[in-house]
Amino acid sequence: MSFSPIILWTDALIYLFVAIVFFIVWYIRRHEHLLAQWKRVGHSASGMSALTVLIFFLAIGLLDTVHFRPALDHKNNQNETIYSVEVLSLLDVLVAPLRTQVEKTYSAPLAAHLYAKETIERDGKQVRTFARLQFGGAHLQDPDKEHSADITQLALKGLACGLLIWSVLSVGLIARLSHRSRQNFAPYLLAIWRRNTEIPWRAILITLLILLLIIGCITALAGHYHVLGTDKVGQDILYQSLKSIRVALVIGTLTTLIMLPFALLLGIMAGYFRGWVDDVIQYIYTTLNSIPSVLLIAAAVLMMQVYIETHPELFDTIASRADLRLLFLCMILGITSWTGLCRLLRGETLKLRELEYIQAAHAFGVSHWRVISRHILPNVMHIVLIATVMDFSGLVLAEAVLSYVGVGVDPSMISFGTMINAARLEMAREPMVWWALLAAFSFMFTLVLSANLFADAVQNALDPRIRTLRQRTVLSRFGKKEKSVKDNAPEATAAAKSSSHP
């Protein structure tokens, strides 16, 4: 199959973001003090389980980022290959049946008939009944009798395949970990089950098992049914949900890339230089906060839409036009959402610049920019990491809200917001179409919940105030035990020994 690779604007920025992440991982692994902080993130069972789910979403988003234009069967007069105007991705190729098997109109999840009655001709007579689907359950001879048994059989096959894949992956992972720790397989497996390992592998493996069971079941059923039903034009809801993941990830990651330079530069400058620099920066972000963000975003997106419509010659495909609007939406969200992080960095820098080692650097004549790069910036990075990870879920929800009110992504682009906007009218029809809204809500809820749990783990590991509070709590507990030793030595000593050996 011949194809022409296409790199959209958001694709290039995502590749840049992935390269930055790999560089940061490489840099952290070369510095022990940074690696020790991130190892504390790996000690959280909930955080690592959430990271496992996030990796699944990231894999789907990256597969949907590699775009190309397939070649058509015929050629032009110069015998040159003609490529389609439709832009596809690797995800579209992997889930091609979901994309191409389009029904006539609505169908319920795992159904074999349309959701609404229509007039069809049967035995020379016109009758009003539920018509058979063209693809969903088409392999059944008698859906009324075979439907339930067929779904059960396919689901069990999918669960068995998921369990088999999980078993192979688990055995390979445990064998590698036991070899690295120079232990036998069985003792290391027992240590994982008893949660005696540094990284909570038991929680990770349980989460991976649940994911693979769900994926196996859905994959087995998706080949013969529409697992989450179809929409008004017969398009598969599961396909729309998978395509919406990339838009949510793009909104969260690219907006962060655009927001960070403003927040870092202005926040540290305001706290470090103070005086008129601080006054100007405070005036800028106070004025920006006084403008309702929704109105500012709506005005900017509408202006961009007018430019796109008046210059159609600049865009070869519909996907490039929708991608430019998505990029512009990320830019507007980034410009309007840096103020909160900037305020946090300003306050932290005001505190850091008064510490002794900063004053000593000034006394030795160290330049301001060297003090900022060597002393201020490394000590505020925990705030940057925590704020960006926690803002990710808010940005995903912001896209859904903006697309719902019509100022979000392009209508031709599938996202959680456009799915919810389409489901708004479907909920009011009779009979009610509920599965599109439920699918969008379930995927978005899982993504946001995983991001929030991982953000909590990052905050607990990197925030020095939380670590100090925990150390004080531990010290106060030992202090009480030491006090009780004086009152009742035998009992207190036994209690102290039991508490010191978990």
Side-chain angles (χ1 to χ4, degrees):
M1 177 182 176
S2 179
F3 61 89
S4 174
I6 297 293
I7 299 180
L8 304 175
W9 282 102
T10 54
D11 296 342
L13 291 175
I14 289 176
Y15 298 150
L16 175 62
F17 182 79
V18 172
I20 292 174
V21 170
F22 277 109
F23 174 76
I24 293 175
V25 172
W26 173 82
Y27 184 80
I28 290 175
R29 289 176 63 90
R30 291 176 59 89
H31 294 78
E32 191 63 32
H33 66 286
L34 298 176
L35 185 61
Q37 291 181 340
W38 282 98
K39 282 183 177 180
R40 285 194 292 267
V41 179
H43 297 166
S44 172
S46 60
M48 297 308 293
S49 297
L51 181 61
T52 305
V53 179
L54 283 177
I55 291 175
F56 164 73
F57 281 102
L58 290 172
I60 294 178
L62 291 177
L63 287 174
D64 201 19
T65 301
V66 182
H67 290 100
F68 61 91
R69 292 170 59 184
L72 300 178
D73 296 333
H74 57 278
K75 298 183 179 181
N76 58 10
N77 297 330
Q78 288 77 26
N79 200 25
E80 296 177 349
T81 304
I82 301 177
Y83 295 98
S84 172
V85 296
E86 184 183 16
V87 178
L88 301 179
S89 66
L90 287 182
L91 181 66
D92 293 326
V93 176
L94 293 177
V95 296
L98 300 181
R99 178 176 59 89
T100 57
Q101 294 180 359
V102 180
E103 303 290 350
K104 185 176 181 181
T105 183
Y106 296 112
S107 65
L110 299 174
H113 297 83
L114 291 176
Y115 191 60
K117 290 183 178 180
E118 63 178 20
T119 302
I120 61 175
E121 189 166 341
R122 179 182 297 173
D123 299 331
K125 298 180 181 179
Q126 289 187 343
V127 294
R128 189 164 182 81
T129 183
F130 297 100
R132 286 286 303 271
L133 296 177
Q134 185 178 357
F135 300 101
H139 62 291
L140 301 178
Q141 299 295 329
D142 188 358
D144 295 333
K145 297 180 180 179
E146 303 173 3
H147 185 248
S148 300
D150 185 65
I151 290 178
T152 303
Q153 183 180 4
L154 290 174
L156 291 176
K157 288 182 179 178
L159 292 175
C161 291
L163 182 60
L164 178 61
I165 295 174
W166 176 82
S167 301
V168 174
L169 292 177
S170 300
V171 170
L173 177 64
I174 296 174
R176 180 174 176 81
L177 293 174
S178 61
H179 177 72
R180 290 180 58 183
S181 61
R182 297 180 180 179
Q183 296 183 20
N184 294 327
F185 184 87
Y188 198 84
L189 177 60
L190 186 61
I192 291 177
W193 179 253
R194 293 178 176 177
R195 294 179 292 186
N196 293 332
T197 55
E198 183 180 6
I199 297 177
W201 290 111
R202 177 182 171 181
I204 296 174
L205 291 176
I206 291 175
T207 306
L208 183 62
L209 173 62
I210 296 173
L211 274 177
L212 290 178
L213 290 178
I214 295 175
I215 294 173
C217 185
I218 291 177
T219 303
L221 291 170
H224 301 84
Y225 297 95
H226 299 287
V227 180
L228 298 179
T230 58
D231 62 359
K232 186 177 181 179
V233 295
Q235 194 172 24
D236 193 275
I237 296 297
L238 177 60
Y239 172 74
Q240 295 183 9
S241 301
L242 294 176
K243 294 288 289 184
S244 301
I245 293 175
R246 178 186 180 271
V247 177
L249 295 176
V250 166
I251 292 288
T253 55
L254 297 190
T255 303
T256 301
L257 283 178
I258 297 169
M259 173 188 68
L260 278 181
F262 292 98
L264 276 174
L265 181 63
L266 298 180
I268 293 178
M269 287 179 58
Y272 183 80
F273 292 106
R274 299 189 297 183
W276 66 270
V277 177
D278 188 17
D279 294 337
V280 170
I281 294 174
Q282 283 193 75
Y283 178 79
I284 292 174
Y285 69 65
T286 303
T287 304
L288 193 59
N289 276 337
S290 64
I291 305 174
S293 58
V294 176
L295 296 180
L296 185 61
I297 294 171
V301 170
L302 291 176
M303 287 190 298
M304 186 63 188
Q305 186 63 27
V306 171
Y307 176 80
I308 292 175
E309 292 178 355
T310 54
H311 298 81
E313 68 278 0
L314 300 177
F315 309 101
D316 297 334
T317 60
I318 297 176
S320 61
R321 183 186 67 184
D323 182 77
L324 182 61
R325 177 166 172 173
L326 175 61
L327 176 61
F328 194 74
L329 178 63
C330 293
M331 295 175 60
I332 296 301
L333 286 174
I335 293 174
T336 57
S337 59
W338 60 267
T339 56
L341 179 57
C342 179
R343 187 182 291 110
L344 291 175
L345 293 176
R346 172 185 174 272
E348 188 70 13
T349 306
L350 284 172
K351 181 185 72 175
L352 290 174
R353 75 181 307 276
E354 302 298 333
L355 296 180
E356 290 80 1
Y357 64 92
I358 302 293
Q359 299 297 327
H362 289 160
F364 281 105
V366 180
S367 64
H368 293 304
W369 296 113
R370 187 169 180 82
V371 170
I372 291 175
S373 61
R374 294 294 299 272
H375 301 295
I376 301 294
L377 185 60
N379 286 286
V380 299
M381 285 308 295
H382 69 279
I383 295 179
V384 175
L385 291 172
I386 294 168
T388 52
V389 175
M390 296 189 70
D391 287 344
F392 175 82
S393 57
L395 294 171
V396 173
L397 296 175
E399 182 276 325
V401 174
L402 293 173
S403 298
Y404 176 77
V405 298
V407 294
V409 300
D410 191 85
S412 63
M413 180 172 286
I414 304 173
S415 70
F416 292 126
T418 55
M419 290 180 64
I420 294 173
N421 188 27
R424 174 171 54 93
L425 300 176
E426 297 172 353
M427 296 292 290
R429 73 185 301 275
E430 182 63 34
M432 181 178 65
V433 177
W434 48 269
W435 48 87
L437 181 63
L438 179 62
F441 174 79
S442 300
F443 275 81
M444 188 167 58
F445 174 78
T446 305
L447 178 60
V448 171
L449 179 62
S450 302
N452 284 338
L453 290 176
F454 184 67
D456 289 339
V458 173
Q459 183 177 10
N460 293 335
L462 301 184
D463 195 341
R465 292 173 296 182
I466 295 179
R467 297 204 305 269
T468 303
L469 179 62
R470 288 182 173 180
Q471 291 173 0
R472 290 176 179 175
T473 304
V474 172
L475 288 175
S476 64
R477 289 177 180 175
F478 281 113
K480 291 180 180 179
K481 295 182 189 316
E482 291 175 3
K483 183 178 179 180
S484 64
V485 171
K486 299 179 181 179
D487 299 333
N488 194 348
E491 291 82 356
T493 304
K497 288 182 178 180
S498 62
S499 64
S500 62
H501 297 283

